[in-house]
Amino acid sequence: MTLDAATLNRLIDGLVDHGHFVGPDVVDAGLCRALHDELDHLAAHDGLKAAGIGRGEQHQLRRDIRGDAIRWLTRDSQAQRDYLALMDDLQRQINRTLYLGLFEFEAHFARYPPGTFYRTHVDSFQGRANRVISTVLYLNPGWPDDGGGEMVIYADDASRELVRIPPESGTFVCFLADRVPHAVLPTRHPRASIAGWFRRNASLGGHVDPAR
Ligand SMILES: O=C(O)CCC(=O)C(=O)O
Ligand SMILES: [Fe+2]
């Protein structure tokens, strides 16, 4: 499975012109269904862990900031391997056209129970920017208009809302990880997604950011 050329061009243009890209129906419905089934199974069998904020020793649970439960992808199902192969292909294409030197991709399933959200944040900090591009794939078929749970992308200085994205199955979003403030609005239904990051394993002052 690969991304079609037209989508790829729009994605690259979006990143260059606006710092973000939003596309409906980017990922095949069958693959989204398989990933959603896997996440449902994990949720039903205690396979998810409450997500925190901060890395390493700074890691802490803050349900007032983010309320999702996650599991890192490890290639242990065909659906995971298919999605990661798609992201491998995307990494190659971005490196070929934008010379970003992306080196690896890390991603986790995320499930937001009703009533949860993720407050406005950026995914990496300038100068420590090992996460270069953020990605999100949504897995919820037929998301209702009043379901909440939209992702909002804000202007650089967080003053203005630029787009509001319902988490409809197949919709794929990517953006510059150190520059784009974004949030998940409170959801009314269980909300399933895969959040991922293309990383550059830069060593800054001899310090290499841990993988997760
Ligand atoms: O699920 C989303 O729409 C965004 C999640 C997010 O911002 C994150 O996990 O860093
Ligand atoms: Fe984020």
Side-chain angles (χ1 to χ4, degrees):
M1 211 180 298
T2 54
L3 294 170
D4 70 82
T7 301
L8 208 52
N9 286 337
R10 282 191 296 118
L11 187 154
I12 301 284
D13 286 352
L15 286 177
V16 171
D17 296 343
H18 311 291
H20 69 263
F21 163 81
V22 181
D25 299 321
V26 169
V27 175
D28 172 78
L31 176 55
C32 290
R33 200 174 316 116
L35 291 165
H36 194 195
D37 287 350
E38 192 172 335
L39 178 49
D40 273 352
H41 185 86
L42 288 167
H45 294 85
D46 212 20
L48 303 177
K49 217 174 86 192
I53 55 167
R55 279 170 182 261
E57 284 169 13
Q58 261 107 55
H59 187 88
Q60 49 174 329
L61 278 187
R62 287 289 301 269
R63 314 312 282 169
D64 56 329
I65 297 178
R66 76 182 286 192
D68 55 331
I70 66 168
R71 178 159 182 135
W72 290 94
L73 271 61
T74 51
R75 296 183 188 273
D76 55 22
S77 70
Q78 190 57 46
Q80 288 189 29
R81 288 189 290 274
D82 286 349
Y83 185 59
L84 292 171
L86 204 58
M87 292 300 105
D88 251 21
D89 183 48
L90 180 55
Q91 177 174 313
R92 263 193 306 277
Q93 303 285 357
I94 291 176
N95 281 340
R96 203 169 53 78
T97 50
L98 301 180
Y99 307 105
L100 284 180
L102 304 179
F103 179 74
E104 64 178 7
F105 182 72
E106 59 180 355
H108 62 60
F109 287 111
R111 186 177 181 278
Y112 289 75
T116 60
F117 50 82
Y118 195 157
R119 289 208 191 285
T120 308
H121 64 282
V122 289
D123 287 345
S124 76
F125 293 98
Q126 264 161 24
R128 291 281 314 276
N130 278 342
R131 288 178 163 181
V132 180
I133 293 185
S134 303
T135 67
V136 197
L137 170 68
Y138 298 107
L139 303 174
N140 313 281
W143 190 257
D145 288 345
D146 64 354
E150 295 94 344
M151 172 157 87
V152 181
I153 290 180
Y154 298 95
D156 280 17
D157 59 359
S159 60
R160 239 167 357 106
E161 182 176 322
L162 298 181
V163 258
R164 199 174 267 229
I165 307 145
E168 177 62 36
S169 193
T171 297
F172 182 79
V173 179
C174 58
F175 52 89
L176 303 178
D178 65 348
R179 224 167 297 173
V180 177
H182 57 284
V184 177
L185 301 181
T187 185
R188 293 199 188 86
H189 302 283
R191 175 191 191 272
S193 61
I194 296 177
W197 297 270
F198 290 109
R199 298 166 56 89
R200 181 162 53 198
N201 249 347
S203 165
L204 296 150
H207 175 91
V208 180
D209 199 14
R212 53 190 66 148

